[in-house]
Amino acid sequence: MFLIDLIMDIIAFFCIYAIITLSLNFQQGYTGIFNLGLYFPIIVGAIITAYLPGRLAMVIYGLDPKLDFSANNALVLSILRSKLSSDPVTSIALLTLTLAAVAIVCYIIGFLSSYPALKLPADYLALFMLCAGESLRVIGMQTDWLAGGVMGITIVNPFWWLGGYSYYGMASFTIISTILIALLYHRLCESPLGRLLKSIRENELTAESVGKDVNGVKRKTLAFSFTILGLAGVLHAFLMGAVVVGGYTRVDFSFWPWLMMIIGGTGNNIGVFLGTFSLVIMRRIMIVGKHYFWFLPFNVVWFEPILLAIMLMVTLVFRPEGILPERSPKIRDYLRKVLKLES
Amino acid sequence: MVPSPILLTALVYSFILSLLAMGFTLQYITLSVPNLAYATIAFASTYLTLTFSLMNLSPYVAMPFGFLLGGAISFMLYKFVAFLRNRGTSIVGLMMATIVFDLIIYASMNIYADYLAYVFKLYAGSFSLSEFDFEIFSFPAVLFISGLTSVGLVAFFTLMLVKTKFGVAMRAVMENFNLASVHGINTERILSIAWFFVGGTAGLSGSLYPIWFAMDPWVGARMFISIFAACVIGGLRSIYGSLLGGFIIAFSEVVVTYFLSLYFPWIWAYRAVTSMVIAAFALVEMPSGIAGLIEKLRRG
């Protein structure tokens, strides 16, 4: 059972990080938008997940309005658990509503934040997004009623009706969502839009000179990526069963995905999958294995950023294009044409 | 009337922040690479200050060592970034290189904090050394020392840039890297020394920080928002603009938030976010910052 739990855990976390790195690849690898603040929309998603479904369920089941979801978290959750355990329709409705709310909010935030952000040169855009993410993290940690503040908050599970298999239910939902999102990104990247994004990445001036609205496309790309990242935040929060905003750090939710993309291969979705998979496996092994280093006078968890740094350094020096570099569209198109002619 | 502790906090904070903003801008101008490890490099020296205090020494003794530590790390970072730049690494790759250093320093600070907790049985994850400070004319010494350090370093940099051969060469490198190297200026040496001095300045500012403020390993990440905001207000590429930006952001975060908190008490907890709001507003309404505004006024 332990092995099944571990495998399920690895797959679920791989899926969360795959969604994040695919979004990053869509922004950086395809469009050239240098965004270091990936955790900004992820935190938005997590905060809405902490706030919305629990309170909605309280209204639906007519719980005492004097009870506060955040302040009386344990009591409210025990009541909601008993109700939701026998009500799959409401549970799924809560999940759908949360996803829809996050998608709408993140799209709007992405669209609005692009206005100041796109006025900046690429490097300062990255800093702006990084600071925006850090600011939201501070807000989330300081606001108790939003997501439990520093201590965090436990949230409802939309798969409680599966009894002892609720975690598997959520993990399966995450896997299915990831497959759908990956297919969506694949379709987008292979479509004429993908080529337009690449042309913007390669030379904005040229794209503009042939009548393309570069800023408009970038704005929509950023808003769309924000939406998907927000959904990753929802899935992560539901999977964890709790939201601690302080835990959404730049290292875990921005720098790690960047490393996954760089190691896998920027501009190549399969490479990104490969990079994500290898690093998620490595991280989970480190988390499981840290108990064997109890004798050290410090927490062995701090080796994780050092390891990340070393891997990043080695990749930058020896293989900056990643394991699977971006495929040349010329060769691919040529091969496709030849094969078509032959067939 | 602003109560004196608030005013003192604003002054000490603005001295430290303006120095950090100036250093960040200077490093950016020299290589056109924002140094994401800058704030972490600055605050690594706070643990030197803590170590000296644990040895019953004045925290001010740590200042020169903080300078050396900040300078040495910054120098190594420059060498790594320059190595990658010479191999044709993109701006994204170069910024990632600064993240490498940010992560190593951040992890090392936490390991050291854990070690201090293990050996001295103290919670080094969050500390303040204000009790080790002394008074000058009934004011905390950190006010005068941070002020003098700030003014002294700005004067030093100004004189160096204007009066010395090294400064002139550095300005040439900042204006046009390729042209400067064609003219026979040893750009690598100039930039190495510049990054050492700027890193040292950051280390010096960081070593003063815990004497007045509470410190934890995450301060670097939080302060980075304020440093960035100060640079945006200053005009992104203006050294003196970033100095002014540092004062504006520091006073906004402390004094303005204090006055607002008299009417909206909850707002005090969000003072770290104030700078980000100001920066976003400045980017929309005044993208060239104070430097651009001054330039506009000068041209009439």
Side-chain angles (χ1 to χ4, degrees):
Chain A
M1 202 64 187
F2 170 75
L3 197 65
I4 294 170
D5 281 351
L6 184 70
I7 292 168
M8 209 62 186
D9 183 60
I10 288 174
I11 293 173
F13 273 87
F14 161 71
C15 287
I16 300 284
Y17 273 102
I19 296 172
I20 298 170
T21 39
L22 281 172
S23 290
L24 172 63
N25 197 34
F26 192 62
Q27 291 175 67
Q28 169 62 30
Y30 280 85
T31 324
I33 299 173
F34 190 8
N35 182 4
L36 278 175
L38 300 172
Y39 63 148
F40 179 49
I42 295 173
I43 295 175
V44 173
I47 285 176
I48 293 175
T49 313
Y51 187 84
L52 192 66
R55 284 172 174 84
L56 270 178
M58 282 176 76
V59 174
I60 290 167
Y61 293 117
L63 262 66
D64 187 354
K66 284 176 190 163
L67 285 174
D68 180 67
F69 183 72
S70 184
N72 313 101
N73 192 235
L75 176 65
V76 173
L77 271 181
S78 67
I79 300 169
L80 289 180
R81 187 177 185 135
S82 65
K83 302 269 185 193
L84 287 169
S85 295
S86 54
D87 193 352
V89 178
T90 310
S91 300
I92 298 299
L94 285 174
L95 174 65
T96 316
L97 271 172
T98 310
L99 288 168
V102 168
I104 293 166
V105 171
C106 283
Y107 190 87
I108 294 168
I109 291 176
F111 204 78
L112 292 178
S113 64
S114 69
Y115 276 91
L118 292 179
K119 284 188 175 186
L120 293 164
D123 43 9
Y124 269 92
L125 184 146
L127 296 183
F128 179 78
M129 288 299 186
L130 186 69
C131 292
E134 202 58 41
S135 299
L136 188 62
R137 194 170 156 266
V138 171
I139 292 171
M141 284 167 71
Q142 297 295 339
T143 316
D144 288 347
W145 57 268
L146 204 56
V150 180
M151 298 304 288
I153 197 167
T154 312
I155 58 172
V156 295
N157 185 326
F159 290 93
W160 269 334
W161 50 276
L162 286 175
Y165 297 99
S166 59
Y167 181 78
Y168 296 117
M170 194 56 226
S172 306
F173 181 76
T174 307
I175 295 166
I176 293 165
S177 306
T178 309
I179 294 168
L180 290 175
I181 289 169
L183 285 173
L184 177 67
Y185 270 125
H186 180 71
R187 294 282 295 178
L188 282 175
C189 295
E190 294 295 313
S191 70
L193 176 74
R195 289 194 286 279
L196 170 64
L197 297 180
K198 278 187 178 177
S199 74
I200 289 172
R201 181 195 69 185
E202 292 303 321
N203 196 324
E204 285 188 18
L205 208 63
T206 313
E208 249 172 5
S209 68
V210 292
K212 302 296 177 193
D213 177 15
V214 171
N215 264 353
V217 173
K218 277 185 160 183
R219 197 159 284 138
K220 283 173 194 161
T221 307
L222 205 59
F224 179 72
S225 302
F226 261 56
T227 309
I228 301 294
L229 286 167
L231 296 182
V234 177
L235 295 174
H236 181 263
F238 276 135
L239 209 59
M240 297 298 287
V243 172
V244 185
V245 179
Y248 290 91
T249 62
R250 59 182 183 165
V251 176
D252 284 339
F253 289 92
S254 257
F255 295 170
W256 271 106
W258 264 95
L259 178 65
M260 288 164 184
M261 186 187 73
I262 288 174
I263 285 187
T266 309
N268 186 331
N269 284 335
I270 297 168
V272 163
F273 261 109
L274 199 66
T276 308
F277 186 70
S278 47
L279 287 195
V280 165
I281 292 266
M282 198 196 72
R283 282 194 76 188
R284 299 317 283 179
I285 289 171
M286 274 184 76
I287 289 167
V288 173
K290 72 177 182 184
H291 305 291
Y292 298 106
F293 295 91
W294 55 269
F295 53 88
L296 288 173
F298 54 83
N299 194 337
V300 78
V301 79
W302 301 121
F303 277 137
E304 204 181 291
I306 293 177
L307 191 72
L308 165 64
I310 293 168
M311 286 173 70
L312 193 52
M313 197 187 276
V314 170
T315 311
L316 285 172
V317 173
F318 295 106
R319 202 165 169 84
E321 71 280 11
I323 303 169
L324 287 179
E326 188 181 348
R327 290 173 300 170
S328 164
K330 268 184 186 172
I331 296 168
R332 200 185 58 224
D333 289 349
Y334 175 74
L335 283 173
R336 214 177 258 173
K337 212 181 274 179
V338 168
L339 288 171
K340 211 175 182 180
L341 281 174
E342 278 177 1
S343 65
Chain B
M1 187 64 193
V2 184
S4 57
I6 293 291
L7 195 61
L8 282 175
T9 303
L11 280 170
V12 175
Y13 187 47
S14 52
F15 288 137
I16 292 173
L17 185 61
S18 52
L19 263 186
L20 289 171
M22 185 189 74
F24 183 81
T25 307
L26 203 64
Q27 281 193 340
Y28 178 64
I29 296 172
T30 53
L31 269 191
S32 293
V33 180
N35 178 3
L36 288 168
Y38 183 74
T40 320
I41 290 174
F43 291 101
S45 58
T46 53
Y47 279 89
L48 269 181
T49 315
L50 175 65
T51 310
F52 277 82
S53 305
L54 289 173
M55 295 190 298
N56 290 322
L57 290 166
S58 165
Y60 295 107
V61 179
M63 283 174 69
F65 296 98
F67 180 87
L68 288 175
L69 181 70
I73 299 172
S74 192
F75 177 79
M76 285 190 283
L77 173 57
Y78 169 73
K79 286 290 175 195
F80 183 50
V81 171
F83 165 74
L84 290 176
R85 191 194 52 183
N86 293 340
R87 289 166 56 116
T89 305
S90 66
I91 179 84
V92 175
L94 297 180
M95 280 179 81
M96 286 290 125
T98 66
I99 289 179
V100 166
F101 272 69
D102 183 61
L103 290 170
I104 292 174
I105 301 162
Y106 166 70
S108 308
M109 278 162 74
N110 277 292
I111 287 173
Y112 190 58
D114 279 2
Y115 175 75
L116 288 178
Y118 182 77
V119 175
F120 294 97
K121 309 289 176 219
L122 59 89
Y123 183 57
S126 176
F127 64 91
S128 170
L129 303 172
S130 53
E131 65 197 88
F132 291 91
D133 198 14
F134 58 93
E135 288 192 343
I136 301 172
F137 306 124
S138 310
F139 286 101
V142 70
L143 175 69
F144 298 99
I145 293 172
S146 61
L148 282 173
T149 309
S150 183
V151 173
L153 280 169
V154 172
F156 170 76
F157 273 114
T158 308
L159 285 173
M160 187 189 73
L161 285 170
V162 178
K163 298 280 182 190
T164 65
K165 274 187 181 175
F166 174 81
V168 174
M170 195 170 141
R171 273 163 53 205
V173 174
M174 287 188 323
E175 283 296 322
N176 193 324
F177 182 85
N178 291 330
L179 196 62
S181 61
V182 168
H183 274 77
I185 295 172
N186 187 344
T187 49
E188 287 298 313
R189 207 188 65 154
I190 296 284
L191 289 181
S192 302
I193 296 170
W195 272 60
F196 177 83
F197 270 109
V198 174
T201 308
L204 206 56
S205 321
S207 64
L208 286 167
Y209 188 86
I211 304 174
W212 187 258
F213 300 98
M215 172 66 201
D216 63 76
W218 272 107
V219 163
R222 285 198 301 273
M223 275 288 280
F224 195 81
I225 306 172
S226 309
I227 296 170
F228 173 68
C231 295
V232 169
I233 297 280
L236 296 174
R237 277 184 164 264
S238 165
I239 295 171
Y240 297 107
S242 61
L243 271 173
L244 270 174
F247 273 88
I248 292 170
I249 290 295
F251 271 81
S252 308
E253 273 187 35
V254 181
V255 179
V256 176
T257 320
Y258 168 75
F259 277 119
L260 286 174
S261 71
L262 295 177
Y263 302 99
F264 313 102
W266 50 268
I267 216 162
W268 185 248
Y270 301 96
R271 63 190 178 282
V273 183
T274 319
S275 49
M276 196 57 205
V277 175
I278 297 170
F281 180 76
L283 283 171
V284 176
E285 294 298 324
M286 203 174 64
S288 50
I290 295 168
L293 200 68
I294 292 170
E295 190 63 32
K296 212 183 264 181
L297 288 172
R298 204 182 276 169
R299 286 180 184 171

